[in-house]
Amino acid sequence: MSRKAFAMVAISCAALLPVACSEPPPETRAVKITGTASLPDGTVPDGTLHVQAYHASAGAGHLRHPLGELGGFITQPEAISGSVSYVAGGGEGLVIHAWLDVDGDGVHCTPANRAEPAGLTVVEGFPADEVQVRLTLAENCKSASWFFPPVAAAQ
Amino acid sequence: MTGRLSDCALRLTPVLLVAAVLAACGGPPPEPGVMVDGQRIAVIDVHLHTGTWENTPPGFRKRLTDRIPRGFKWVMGPFMDRALSARSILGQLDDAGISGGGVFALYSPHTTGIAPNEFVSAQIAPHQERLYGFASLRVDDWNNSSVAELARLEAGVQMPGMRGIKLAHAHQQIRFDDRRFDGIYEICSRLQKPVYLHTGTSPNPGTRTEPPFADPAYLEESIKAWPGCTFILGHTGYDTFNKALTYVDSAIALAQRYPNVYLEPGAMGAERADEVRVDFFRRVKSGGVIDKMIYGSDGPQFPGYVDSHLKAVVAAMREIGYTPGEMEQLLSGNFLRVFGLPPIEVGGGS
């Protein structure tokens, strides 16, 4: 091989290298979430509702874990309405956690304020473009992992 | 993904060889310790990470490779596996003149990944005179696995070289006020293995940044309930995500109030903290908690980080007017006292 040809091959290889190990951008989807949230006695409380969506499980192998976070929004408990975008193939199932911002500070309980109820529901029939949920806000200051995964029936 | 990485790893071999040759050609490491007013002070870095690329989640891999040009990102896997080995960590400590370091196990599958207790113990066991292990546990299915995970932790802290416990509430997605996890502090108290807890936020993807996951004030009831457990509040509540001292005063207040609370300034010597570093060390001094601060860097991160972090912290302390005695407490004395270790002899000083 002549020097010129060798140089051409080397330059071509160098030019191709940057795309050799690249991956296509991930596909994103969105799910619209509607429904209601109420207290255990059935009343719909005052205050804003912070909603957070999760995959029921995400990751692979040793890194597989419950509650793969997707995103969230702020809405009203009597008429939940919002959408969450997520990367397709990033996990399975849909779990919705919500808490009531009683004092309007945007923080789910403080060391002094221990009365902001939360609830969680597991959505059936996901994936879907739109899901409807009914949440019961029964436990103060509890994150999603307090509710989910629930205690297995065998235990 | 794994196959692609393997193919790429083959191409990396010459690069690693060149790096090894360059490393071998470096000069001798500096004398241990830092020189302050003619006194050489020993340094221990309580906050170092090990791990593998294989056990790093996709989101964190992406962050680590974001600055690497497209097509060359495969370099990161073999680089990380090498950089996080005990041998490489010891090299970084040597280059910085640091006598010893804490090495953390991790079980944060949502965020920074997994470095199992067995892996950490195996890494540090041959170097127990310099590397101190911290065991951890999974918390992501606590309603079903708490008994098994507490057993994992109890076994982990008794593995060769293990001296403490590591938790990262924001990475592990658990609230500081979730009392289901008090069993961890019971082990800390009963076995006298101090627990290091990441406080504040972090820029790593998947990290919870809300106050209940970041503000150590939410931990106060557990701190009160377990006076026999030593709590080391990692990062002293530094809000790394926002580059702000959001929860620092909260952490300092706990250290002032409770004898079993200590602090750690991890990542405060990083470039990301340039704008807040001096303010941070001023608050520590004015808060009267220098005797509660245990030095750590959050390394090794990248070649030279452990050294540059230490230099930045020492420069900030000099600027504020820390005495050599105060620096000695912060850089090694408090660690040795808390972990019951003998003094470290370095030339010309403590």
Side-chain angles (χ1 to χ4, degrees):
Chain A
M1 187 185 293
S2 70
R3 260 188 203 180
K4 191 174 177 183
F6 180 81
M8 290 292 287
V9 169
I11 291 167
S12 300
C13 287
L16 287 171
L17 190 58
V19 294
C21 300
S22 62
E23 293 177 10
E27 178 193 348
T28 57
R29 292 182 185 164
V31 56
K32 186 175 182 189
I33 299 162
T34 58
T36 58
S38 59
L39 298 174
D41 64 5
T43 59
V44 177
D46 292 330
T48 54
L49 192 73
H50 290 245
V51 175
Q52 198 74 23
Y54 300 85
H55 277 310
S57 65
H62 296 305
L63 297 170
R64 188 167 183 80
H65 60 84
L67 295 172
E69 193 175 7
L70 301 179
F73 55 87
I74 299 172
T75 183
Q76 297 302 312
E78 68 275 16
I80 295 172
S81 180
S83 329
V84 171
S85 296
Y86 63 97
V87 175
E92 296 82 42
L94 183 65
V95 172
I96 306 294
H97 175 257
W99 61 273
L100 189 69
D101 191 359
V102 174
D103 59 7
D105 67 353
V107 178
H108 186 198
C109 298
T110 67
N113 173 16
R114 310 300 298 165
E116 291 189 315
L120 178 143
T121 187
V122 179
V123 176
E124 303 294 336
F126 184 80
D129 294 336
E130 185 169 348
V131 298
Q132 194 156 35
V133 297
R134 184 182 294 271
L135 284 150
T136 302
L137 308 175
E139 301 288 345
N140 285 321
C141 312
K142 302 303 185 195
S143 65
S145 74
W146 193 89
F147 300 94
F148 189 87
V151 177
Q155 293 194 358
Chain B
M1 183 70 184
T2 306
R4 178 172 286 172
L5 267 177
S6 299
D7 294 343
C8 293
L10 288 173
R11 281 178 271 169
L12 182 67
T13 305
V15 178
L16 287 177
L17 283 172
V18 171
V21 169
L22 288 174
C25 293
E31 277 192 55
V34 292
M35 190 65 86
V36 180
D37 293 347
Q39 180 182 341
R40 187 162 287 279
I41 295 172
V43 182
I44 295 175
D45 183 339
V46 74
H47 187 169
L48 299 164
H49 290 283
T50 184
T52 61
W53 186 251
E54 182 188 1
N55 278 332
T56 302
F60 193 40
R61 285 184 180 188
K62 183 175 182 304
R63 179 177 178 239
L64 293 172
T65 55
D66 267 352
R67 290 182 185 176
I68 297 177
R70 191 177 164 197
F72 294 92
K73 295 183 186 294
W74 53 271
V75 170
M76 196 63 200
F79 170 79
M80 179 172 158
D81 287 346
R82 183 180 179 280
L84 295 183
S85 68
R87 187 175 170 193
S88 180
I89 289 172
L90 285 168
Q92 282 230 34
L93 295 179
D94 287 340
D95 290 344
I98 295 176
S99 297
V103 181
F104 294 163
L106 288 181
Y107 291 92
S108 302
H110 302 77
T111 48
T112 48
I114 292 176
N117 296 333
E118 294 81 1
F119 176 81
V120 173
S121 179
Q123 289 278 317
I124 66 170
H127 314 285
Q128 290 182 49
E129 74 288 354
R130 293 189 66 193
L131 297 180
Y132 317 112
F134 287 68
S136 192
L137 74 173
R138 283 190 83 131
V139 297
D140 51 318
D141 187 12
W142 198 250
N143 290 334
N144 294 297
S145 65
S146 61
V147 173
E149 289 299 332
L150 289 171
R152 182 210 294 268
L153 179 66
E154 188 156 346
V157 294
Q158 296 177 86
M159 287 175 183
M162 298 303 226
R163 295 181 183 269
I165 297 168
K166 166 69 184 349
L167 297 174
H169 285 66
H171 291 154
Q172 295 180 291
Q173 313 240 333
I174 57 175
R175 292 174 62 109
F176 279 120
D177 58 0
D178 191 334
R179 301 297 299 276
R180 291 180 302 158
F181 300 104
D182 273 24
I184 297 169
Y185 312 132
E186 187 276 329
I187 290 174
C188 161
S189 181
R190 175 164 46 86
L191 299 180
Q192 287 300 286
K193 301 287 186 179
V195 57
Y196 175 105
L197 312 95
H198 176 113
T199 65
T201 62
S202 130
N204 298 322
T207 305
R208 301 301 292 257
T209 57
E210 308 100 297
F213 300 85
D215 184 350
Y218 286 80
L219 189 65
E220 185 163 7
E221 293 306 312
S222 292
I223 290 169
K224 278 198 282 193
W226 300 101
C229 172
T230 296
F231 293 82
I232 302 169
L233 307 182
H235 304 280
T236 314
Y238 171 41
D239 184 1
T240 324
F241 184 77
N242 295 306
K243 301 182 184 178
L245 304 183
T246 313
Y247 309 112
V248 167
D249 291 341
S250 178
I252 288 174
L254 290 170
Q256 290 169 330
R257 280 205 292 276
Y258 299 100
N260 58 326
V261 173
Y262 285 77
L263 308 168
E264 185 260 355
M268 198 45 67
E271 192 179 323
R272 193 176 176 85
D274 279 352
E275 300 302 315
V276 296
R277 186 178 309 118
V278 169
D279 186 10
F280 174 88
F281 283 101
R282 188 169 282 125
R283 292 188 197 196
V284 170
K285 187 173 171 72
S286 64
V289 290
I290 292 173
D291 64 336
K292 295 296 205 74
M293 182 65 77
I294 294 173
Y295 178 73
S297 72
D298 200 2
Q301 300 211 15
F302 53 81
Y305 171 85
V306 170
D307 183 44
S308 65
H309 186 281
L310 175 61
K311 285 187 166 74
V313 166
V314 169
M317 290 193 291
R318 282 184 203 272
E319 184 177 334
I320 296 159
Y322 278 53
T323 67
E326 289 171 334
M327 289 198 201
E328 188 276 332
Q329 286 185 72
L330 192 151
L331 292 174
S332 58
N334 297 334
F335 177 93
L336 296 171
R337 188 175 78 253
V338 166
F339 287 87
L341 294 169
I344 293 172
E345 298 297 331
V346 288
S350 62

